[in-house]
Amino acid sequence: MIDVLRSLECPIIAGFETTGNYHRALVWRLLEAGIELRLISSVALARTREALHNGWDKNDPKDAQVILHMLRIGLTQHYQDPLAEGLNDIQDLSKTHEVVSKAKTGILHRLQTHYLPLYFPEIERFRHNSRGEWFFAFLDRFPTPASITTLDHEAFVKAAWDVVGRKVSKARLLGDIYQTARASVGLPVPLDALAIVMFRVVVNEARRLIRQRDEIECLAHELLQDHPDYRRLRQIPGIGPINALTILAEAGDLRRFGHHRQFLKFCGLDLATHQS
C-alpha cells in the first residue's frame, strides 16, 4: 500500500479512526514512510455520518467515505505517535498499572463477597483502605477466628505484632481483633480444610498484585522524576505518581494544546448544550 501511495508522487494525508491498539502498527509504518497522519475522533465520525446520511447505521465503506469528507473539511485532530514521541514506555506502564489494579479490585470483591462472609465476616471492618498489604498478610496468617482464639491474648499479640506492620495504637488494634474473633459468627471450618487453603490462595494473589502495583508506581516515579511536567503535576494536591503518569501517557506533550479547552475536548470533557 505504501508503494502505491508513493507512486502517486503527490503529498499524501491519511486519516484514521482508532480501534483499540490495532491501528498502532499500521500508522507507524505510514509515519515512517513520510505520510502525514490525521486522527479522526470516533464521536465526530459518528455525528458526521448521521448528518451526511440521515441515519445511525454504519459499515466500513460508508465510514471510509465519511473520513474522506472530514479530511476535506479539516474536521480532524493532530496525531501524536507514542513511539515517535517517546511515550511508548510511559503508556505501557500506565496501562499495566490499570490491568493490575483492576485485577486486585476483582480479587478484593471476591474476598468481600465469598470468603470473608463465610469464614471471618467481622474482620472486614478493620480494612480501612486497599493500599496497605498488612490486612492481607494478617488474613494469610490468621484466616479464621479459630486461628486467633487458639492462642491466649498475649500470645496472639506477640504472634501478630510484626504481621500488622507499623500501625498506630497497634496494641489496641490487636486487642479489638482478638475480642472480635472471640465473638465471631464465622463458620467453624478447620484450618487444614481445603476451603481455607483456597482462601489463602486468593489472599496471596491479592498480596502479589499489591506488590506488583507498588513496583510499577516506583518504576513510574523513577522514569519520570526528572520530567518537568511530571514535577509540575505532582505539585497539584491529589495528583500522585500514577495520576501524573496517566495524564502524561494519554496527553503526551501538553504544550501542543493552545488552550485549555482544546485539552478538555481531547479528554472528551467539553460540555455542549443540545437544543433546537
Side-chain angles (χ1 to χ4, degrees):
M1 184 181 69
I2 290 172
D3 289 340
V4 171
L5 293 175
R6 282 174 171 166
S7 69
L8 300 176
E9 297 183 353
C10 64
I12 302 295
I13 300 176
F16 62 94
E17 178 193 10
T18 61
T19 305
N21 288 309
Y22 295 102
H23 67 284
R24 286 277 305 276
L26 173 61
V27 297
W28 170 254
R29 294 295 301 276
L30 294 172
L31 189 66
E32 277 191 313
I35 294 171
E36 192 175 343
L37 300 174
R38 290 287 185 269
L39 179 64
I40 306 295
S41 163
S42 296
V43 175
L45 177 63
R47 298 294 176 267
T48 306
R49 182 177 61 244
E50 291 171 5
L52 289 177
H53 297 283
N54 195 29
W56 58 267
D57 63 308
K58 63 172 291 180
N59 54 63
D60 289 342
K62 182 181 289 186
D63 281 353
Q65 292 300 318
V66 175
I67 287 174
L68 284 173
H69 173 75
M70 295 175 71
L71 281 171
R72 291 190 194 100
I73 65 176
L75 194 60
T76 62
Q77 296 180 2
H78 170 73
Y79 175 67
Q80 181 174 265
D81 187 82
L83 192 58
E85 299 295 332
L87 298 173
N88 197 59
D89 287 344
I90 297 176
Q91 284 197 351
D92 271 342
L93 270 174
S94 177
K95 291 178 180 179
T96 305
H97 183 274
E98 181 186 12
V99 169
V100 171
S101 296
K102 286 183 176 178
K104 185 190 71 64
T105 300
I107 289 289
L108 180 58
H109 288 169
R110 187 61 177 158
L111 286 169
Q112 290 175 315
T113 59
H114 180 75
Y115 295 101
L116 293 183
L118 288 176
Y119 307 119
F120 205 165
E122 300 83 3
I123 196 66
E124 169 67 14
R125 72 182 182 89
F126 295 100
R127 186 187 67 84
H128 301 299
N129 62 70
S130 64
R131 297 198 61 81
E133 192 192 355
W134 80 267
F135 181 76
F136 301 100
F138 182 87
L139 285 178
D140 185 37
R141 176 66 178 81
F142 302 102
T144 65
S147 63
I148 296 174
T149 55
T150 52
L151 306 171
D152 60 36
H153 182 271
E154 291 185 3
F156 165 70
V157 170
K158 183 177 180 181
W161 190 261
D162 293 332
V163 177
V164 299
R166 300 171 60 182
K167 303 295 290 181
V168 177
S169 303
K170 191 191 301 189
R172 186 176 66 183
L173 171 66
L174 292 175
D176 287 347
I177 292 176
Y178 188 80
Q179 294 304 320
T180 300
R182 291 185 63 187
S184 175
V185 297
L187 297 177
V189 180
L191 271 178
D192 58 353
L194 192 57
I196 302 304
V197 173
M198 295 300 100
F199 185 6
R200 281 176 160 150
V201 166
V202 176
V203 166
N204 278 294
E205 180 65 10
R207 297 182 68 186
R208 183 185 68 82
L209 291 168
I210 289 173
R211 289 192 294 270
Q212 282 189 341
R213 180 202 61 196
D214 293 343
E215 288 172 9
I216 293 171
E217 291 181 4
C218 289
L219 283 172
H221 179 70
E222 187 178 324
L223 177 65
L224 296 171
Q225 59 184 340
D226 296 326
H227 194 295
D229 289 343
Y230 176 78
R231 291 180 179 179
R232 291 187 180 95
L233 287 168
R234 288 296 308 275
Q235 293 173 0
I236 301 173
I239 293 188
I242 294 305
N243 283 338
L245 169 73
T246 304
I247 292 171
L248 293 175
E250 296 298 329
D253 184 7
L254 297 173
R255 289 161 190 79
R256 65 194 177 99
F257 301 102
H259 194 276
H260 74 272
R261 290 190 180 278
Q262 293 179 354
F263 182 58
L264 287 176
K265 288 182 180 180
F266 176 81
C267 297
L269 299 175
D270 54 324
L271 302 179
T273 301
H274 292 270
Q275 61 186 28
S276 63

